[in-house]
Amino acid sequence: MRLAVVGAGAVGRAVVDLAASYDHEVVAVADSSSAVVAPAGETLDPDTVLRRKADTGAVGDDVPEAALDAEYDVLVEATPTTLDDAEPGYGHAVAALERDRHVVLANKGPVAERYDALRAAEDDSAGRVLFEATVGGAIPAVTTIDDLGPAHVTAVRGVLNGTANFVLTRMAAEGLGYEHVLAEAQDLGVAEADPSFDVEGTDAALKCVILANVLYGGGYTLADAEVEGISGLPGEALSLAAEDGMTVRLVGSVEDGDIRVGPRLVPEHGTLAVSGTRNIVQIETDHAGRLNISGRGAGGPETATAVLADVGRLSRPTGSR
Amino acid sequence: MRLAVVGAGAVGRAVVDLAASYDHEVVAVADSSSAVVAPAGETLDPDTVLRRKADTGAVGDDVPEAALDAEYDVLVEATPTTLDDAEPGYGHAVAALERDRHVVLANKGPVAERYDALRAAEDDSAGRVLFEATVGGAIPAVTTIDDLGPAHVTAVRGVLNGTANFVLTRMAAEGLGYEHVLAEAQDLGVAEADPSFDVEGTDAALKCVILANVLYGGGYTLADAEVEGISGLPGEALSLAAEDGMTVRLVGSVEDGDIRVGPRLVPEHGTLAVSGTRNIVQIETDHAGRLNISGRGAGGPETATAVLADVGRLSRPTGSR
């Protein structure tokens, strides 16, 4: 498939880097200030694009919008997640659908905040929208729910933010306070300079909203989630939990139409107590019990792997290998 | 989709029972001695079929082969797994492919013992073969590897036999000997009267052979697997392991072209130490680290869920919801 990659952060760059190893071609790349588009019938050399980005900060000389007009089969939308109107990601996705092209999202905004409108645009298009990369990085959560059939999934819960989980894991293991561990996480690059999106539960909540939209066929936005973060959690809470063989994780859940994210007591050696930056998704089914899927929940190549798995699904005929 | 279900054991019966809840219809069912086929254009009433099977031991009055001639879209092959020529399952699958129908296997034989021949038959057919149910019950192992792209999976390992795992879990937890726990498992119906298929590692090895065929594009049969079971394992091995925070699991692995199954030391609270009859599959990838997927590895409704997920994949157009 010919890919146009919009967004040249860690995920977009990894998609450009890895596409050829999945037998796909990159014909356009855009970042926030520029774009590079291959001449008609040709493809871009990934190394050249990535080197230029590294050297100059811009992928090319065109205006960013030029990538949207390129001759691609799949638009990979990997600009940063934004809330409310989810722009510019939402507009990029709709522009592709209006041209009857497929869209693969790494950006959570369009499927968390404007799911119903996006699906309506998809219904009018020959293109499809896939978004496995938006929940749990490399973990195939959305696909597994789709394959089981949303009607057969009774609940989904999980640990969906690696930064918050890293902080909780370190607090429990070292008996350190929240502020201390957060500073350490920032030094290591695990937490952003402004960590609120992660530690206040917003990121995990967006992922749960996306799962709710998949489970219930739409209707949810971030405003529907009940969210509590971990920034107020005292170190003593973790010590007390440990005395009973428990620990604390930032758990998100979607069940009976409700979306909740907050710190929860979980067994120290239990399935939900993934450590460090790992994520886990638990899927409860009506006839097959509980499935647990854990893996790396973030990172450029990890998330790009999910993006390229979606591209693969779009490129294969029904039921083929 | 219209299903013909061949094999009326726990899995076949559960497919008949659950098909309607996945919006599929059953048009034919066969067991080892009989079949029932719906009149042209009609479908079978699942409850009637299942009641007759329970009451009389036979699903119908026709000869079993009649189900193969029915007007179905997908043949669900759920007869018992057989080795070597994998008959009659292999012949059933090929008969369906020759009629350009899809095949969904719950029977491990055809994809473990005659994978290459089955794929050749598929290449000549408009029908496709899917077999998620053959590995790890409800766990989406085959699909996840397919979606990641076999070329991007560097190794797969897992605990793939619930009976052996139940025995090892009980031996470790209660300090009991193998013979004692095995008798208990037989009383509970977790182990067969002849448990050798499970405890000698054959069943786990077949699943690893299937995964090897998916990973490497065929070429493997059971004869290629190096297999050691748990029947010779002394209780002391588990006690000694526990002193170091370890336990023993029957682990199967596919890596660098080699298939191995045998008892292995694993951390007591580690990911591979699933308890009871649960299964786990670990998928190592080139760019996304390790994925762990655990769940119920056997059981009628659990395996039927995987069968019906395959049917769903066959019924959806590319990339659609």
Side-chain angles (χ1 to χ4, degrees):
Chain A
M1 304 279 258
R2 294 167 302 169
L3 311 184
V5 180
V6 178
V11 175
R13 293 198 308 273
V15 171
V16 171
D17 186 35
L18 297 177
S21 75
Y22 286 81
D23 296 324
H24 302 302
E25 298 164 343
V26 179
V27 296
V29 182
D31 56 25
S32 58
S33 68
S34 74
V36 55
V37 178
E42 297 184 27
T43 65
L44 295 175
D45 175 55
D47 293 338
T48 306
V49 174
L50 294 174
R51 197 174 321 114
R52 175 162 178 167
K53 175 70 180 171
D55 290 348
T56 71
V59 293
D61 294 320
D62 277 328
V63 294
E65 292 71 26
L68 296 173
D69 298 327
E71 280 308 315
Y72 59 84
D73 302 303
V74 181
L75 183 80
V76 175
E77 221 299 327
T79 64
T81 295
T82 55
L83 304 184
D84 302 319
D85 69 2
E87 293 292 2
Y90 177 81
H92 295 162
V94 169
L97 290 171
E98 285 174 349
R99 291 180 62 201
D100 288 327
R101 308 300 163 89
H102 299 302
V103 177
V104 171
L105 296 167
N107 175 349
K108 292 178 274 293
V111 269
E113 294 288 59
R114 299 182 76 180
Y115 187 88
D116 298 348
L118 188 67
R119 286 299 200 192
E122 184 189 35
D123 286 341
D124 291 337
S125 172
R128 302 258 70 88
V129 180
L130 294 181
F131 47 93
E132 183 59 78
T134 61
V135 180
I139 295 173
V142 173
T143 306
T144 301
I145 293 170
D146 262 345
D147 281 349
L148 290 167
H152 296 277
V153 173
T154 54
V156 182
R157 74 183 71 79
V159 172
L160 291 165
N161 183 273
T163 303
N165 206 59
F166 176 89
V167 169
L168 291 171
T169 304
R170 290 286 296 163
M171 285 174 73
E174 308 294 334
L176 298 169
Y178 170 81
E179 297 297 342
H180 183 104
V181 174
L182 179 64
E184 179 193 69
Q186 287 168 324
D187 283 347
L188 289 169
V190 170
E192 307 278 336
D194 174 3
S196 56
F197 195 68
D198 295 312
V199 299
E200 299 303 346
T202 310
D203 175 70
L206 287 169
K207 292 164 180 167
C208 288
V209 168
I210 295 167
L211 293 173
N213 282 326
V214 172
L215 272 189
Y216 306 123
Y220 290 82
T221 70
L222 184 59
D224 298 305
E226 199 178 288
V227 188
E228 187 188 348
I230 61 163
S231 61
L233 195 76
E236 292 77 37
L238 285 153
S239 324
L240 275 171
E243 287 175 20
D244 285 331
M246 306 290 277
T247 190
V248 177
R249 287 293 177 267
L250 182 66
V251 175
S253 68
V254 181
E255 187 162 11
D256 297 333
D258 294 325
I259 303 170
R260 292 198 177 84
V261 174
R264 305 277 183 264
L265 275 176
V266 301
E268 199 172 359
H269 299 299
T271 313
L272 280 175
V274 287
S275 64
T277 59
R278 290 182 77 81
N279 281 197
I280 183 166
V281 176
Q282 291 191 326
I283 300 173
E284 304 279 354
T285 68
D286 52 1
H287 302 300
R290 176 186 295 168
L291 283 174
N292 301 303
I293 315 181
S294 66
R296 294 189 191 166
E302 292 83 353
T303 307
T305 293
V307 165
L308 290 162
D310 271 350
V311 174
R313 276 184 278 273
L314 291 167
S315 63
R316 281 191 300 259
T318 299
S320 79
R321 290 176 259 168
Chain B
M1 305 279 258
R2 296 167 301 169
L3 312 183
V5 180
V6 179
V11 175
R13 293 198 309 273
V15 171
V16 172
D17 185 35
L18 298 177
S21 74
Y22 287 80
D23 296 325
H24 303 301
E25 299 163 343
V26 178
V27 296
V29 182
D31 56 25
S32 57
S33 67
S34 75
V36 55
V37 179
E42 298 184 28
T43 65
L44 295 175
D45 176 55
D47 294 338
T48 306
V49 175
L50 295 173
R51 198 175 318 116
R52 171 158 182 170
K53 174 70 179 170
D55 290 348
T56 71
V59 292
D61 294 320
D62 277 327
V63 294
E65 292 70 27
L68 297 173
D69 299 325
E71 280 307 314
Y72 58 84
D73 302 304
V74 182
L75 183 79
V76 175
E77 221 298 329
T79 64
T81 294
T82 54
L83 304 183
D84 303 317
D85 69 2
E87 293 291 1
Y90 177 81
H92 296 161
V94 169
L97 291 171
E98 285 175 350
R99 292 180 62 202
D100 288 327
R101 308 301 161 88
H102 299 302
V103 177
V104 172
L105 296 168
N107 175 349
K108 292 179 275 291
V111 271
E113 295 286 61
R114 300 182 75 180
Y115 186 88
D116 298 347
L118 188 68
R119 287 299 200 193
E122 185 191 34
D123 286 341
D124 291 335
S125 172
R128 302 260 69 92
V129 180
L130 295 180
F131 47 93
E132 182 60 77
T134 62
V135 180
I139 295 174
V142 173
T143 307
T144 300
I145 293 171
D146 263 345
D147 282 349
L148 289 167
H152 295 277
V153 173
T154 54
V156 182
R157 72 183 71 80
V159 172
L160 290 165
N161 184 274
T163 303
N165 207 59
F166 176 89
V167 170
L168 291 171
T169 305
R170 290 285 296 162
M171 285 174 73
E174 308 295 333
L176 297 169
Y178 170 80
E179 296 296 342
H180 183 104
V181 173
L182 179 64
E184 180 194 69
Q186 286 169 324
D187 283 349
L188 289 169
V190 170
E192 307 279 336
D194 175 2
S196 57
F197 197 67
D198 295 312
V199 299
E200 299 303 346
T202 310
D203 175 71
L206 286 170
K207 292 164 180 168
C208 289
V209 169
I210 295 166
L211 293 173
N213 281 325
V214 172
L215 273 189
Y216 306 122
Y220 289 83
T221 70
L222 184 59
D224 299 304
E226 199 178 289
V227 188
E228 187 188 350
I230 62 163
S231 62
L233 196 75
E236 292 76 38
L238 286 152
S239 326
L240 274 171
E243 286 175 21
D244 285 330
M246 306 289 277
T247 189
V248 176
R249 286 293 179 266
L250 183 66
V251 175
S253 68
V254 182
E255 187 163 11
D256 297 333
D258 293 325
I259 303 170
R260 292 198 177 84
V261 174
R264 305 275 183 265
L265 275 176
V266 301
E268 199 173 0
H269 299 298
T271 314
L272 280 175
V274 288
S275 65
T277 60
R278 290 182 75 81
N279 281 196
I280 181 165
V281 175
Q282 292 191 325
I283 300 172
E284 303 281 353
T285 69
D286 52 359
H287 301 301
R290 176 186 295 170
L291 282 174
N292 301 304
I293 315 181
S294 67
R296 294 189 191 167
E302 292 83 353
T303 307
T305 293
V307 166
L308 290 161
D310 271 349
V311 174
R313 276 184 279 271
L314 291 166
S315 63
R316 283 191 299 259
T318 299
S320 78
R321 290 175 260 166

